[in-house]
Amino acid sequence: MKVALVDDDQRFLTLQQEYVERFSREEGVPCNAISFTSGFQLMDGYTGTYDAVFLDIEMPGMNGLETAQMLRTADQSVCIVFVTNMAQYAIRGYAVNALDFVVKPIEYFTFADKLKKVLRYRSLRPEREALLSREGGLVRVPYSQIYYLEKDKNYLIYHTQQGAFRERGTVLEKEPDFLDCGFARCTSGCLVNLQHVRKTSRDTVLVGEDTLPLSRQHRKPFVDSLMKYLGGAL
């Protein structure tokens, strides 16, 4: 689960980060929390990879409600949890389909309950999608329609049923999301959708119509992941 924490109070951001790490340990749920000190920072280059955004309402510059409105134009499915000192402000958040809100100061168990609610929503949510750019607009591409993504200098090329998309990013930062959805590395710079693997050999893998290299370093973990996928474990 990938969580964005947005608050102009660095001490409170640190506390939330600790809560996410504790939740991950105690619940056995892999979690990755990224902190932002403003709505502008969150939305700069937003890629739609978060499961939840914990969003402080009272921030200078662009407040949490304004940030949420901008967020919803880019991502209709992310869970928004408002964080506030005054509950009446959070009620207005339901205009942007907020999942919930919490009132400061926040105890760990209250915060953990919100993360559990996100998990429940995530389990009921339709298939995950990547938010990709094309001709100045954004296109939602279901993960099942992505054949593979590969490194191209400071960019990633997404090979999909809707064609190829070129986005800034690295394999390393995308890996946690995609490994959780049935992808595996065939080389250090390429993530393959196991659903579309047609054939493997000692040093290649056939994905759709494309033959990709299978490095010696990644051969065993790739084949292990493929066997688990075919066995229904992924």
Side-chain angles (χ1 to χ4, degrees), residues 150-170:
E150 61 178 338
K151 176 184 176 183
D152 179 23
K153 297 181 180 178
N154 294 325
Y155 290 83
L156 289 173
I157 307 297
Y158 292 75
H159 298 267
T160 82
Q161 292 176 11
Q162 300 183 41
F165 296 81
R166 190 168 184 261
E167 301 279 338
R168 275 197 173 273
T170 66

Side-chain angles (χ1 to χ4, degrees), residues 181-201:
C181 295
F183 285 68
R185 278 188 189 246
C186 64
T187 68
S188 60
C190 186
L191 281 168
V192 168
N193 189 340
L194 299 173
Q195 175 183 344
H196 295 293
V197 172
R198 297 173 56 191
K199 182 181 178 181
T200 62
S201 68

Side-chain angles (χ1 to χ4, degrees), residues 34 39 54 92 120 167 203 212-213 218 226:
I34 309 296
F54 281 74
R92 294 168 56 192
R120 290 193 296 271
E167 301 279 338
D203 56 8
L212 306 176
H218 294 91
L226 181 60

Side-chain angles (χ1 to χ4, degrees), residues 5 15 49 57 120 122 127 135 165-166 176-177 192 212:
L5 309 171
L15 178 64
T49 61
I57 289 183
R120 290 193 296 271
R122 181 183 170 194
E127 180 187 354
E135 298 176 352
F165 296 81
R166 190 168 184 261
D177 293 319
V192 168
L212 306 176

Side-chain angles (χ1 to χ4, degrees), residues 1-8 12-13 16 19-20 33-36 38 42 50-57 59 64 67 71 78-84 99-102 106 110-119:
M1 179 166 61
K2 191 171 181 180
V3 180
L5 309 171
V6 189
D7 200 296
D8 61 315
F12 191 70
L13 277 178
Q16 290 181 92
Y19 283 172
V20 172
I34 309 296
S35 296
F36 301 92
S38 71
L42 170 72
Y50 296 103
D51 295 294
V53 176
F54 281 74
L55 185 57
D56 184 27
I57 289 183
M59 294 187 293
T67 301
L71 179 60
V78 66
C79 296
I80 297 175
V81 179
F82 281 113
V83 181
T84 181
L99 180 71
D100 210 336
F101 70 92
V102 288
I106 304 174
T110 300
F111 190 87
D113 282 342
K114 305 309 176 185
L115 287 175
K116 290 176 182 177
K117 189 170 183 178
V118 170
L119 286 175

Side-chain angles (χ1 to χ4, degrees), residues 66-113:
E66 293 167 334
T67 301
Q69 290 168 356
M70 184 179 293
L71 179 60
R72 275 290 175 248
T73 65
D75 192 340
Q76 293 293 319
S77 62
V78 66
C79 296
I80 297 175
V81 179
F82 281 113
V83 181
T84 181
N85 288 310
M86 302 181 70
Q88 61 265 37
Y89 290 155
I91 302 302
R92 294 168 56 192
Y94 291 108
V96 291
N97 296 318
L99 180 71
D100 210 336
F101 70 92
V102 288
V103 179
K104 296 179 180 179
I106 304 174
E107 298 294 333
Y108 168 72
F109 292 104
T110 300
F111 190 87
D113 282 342

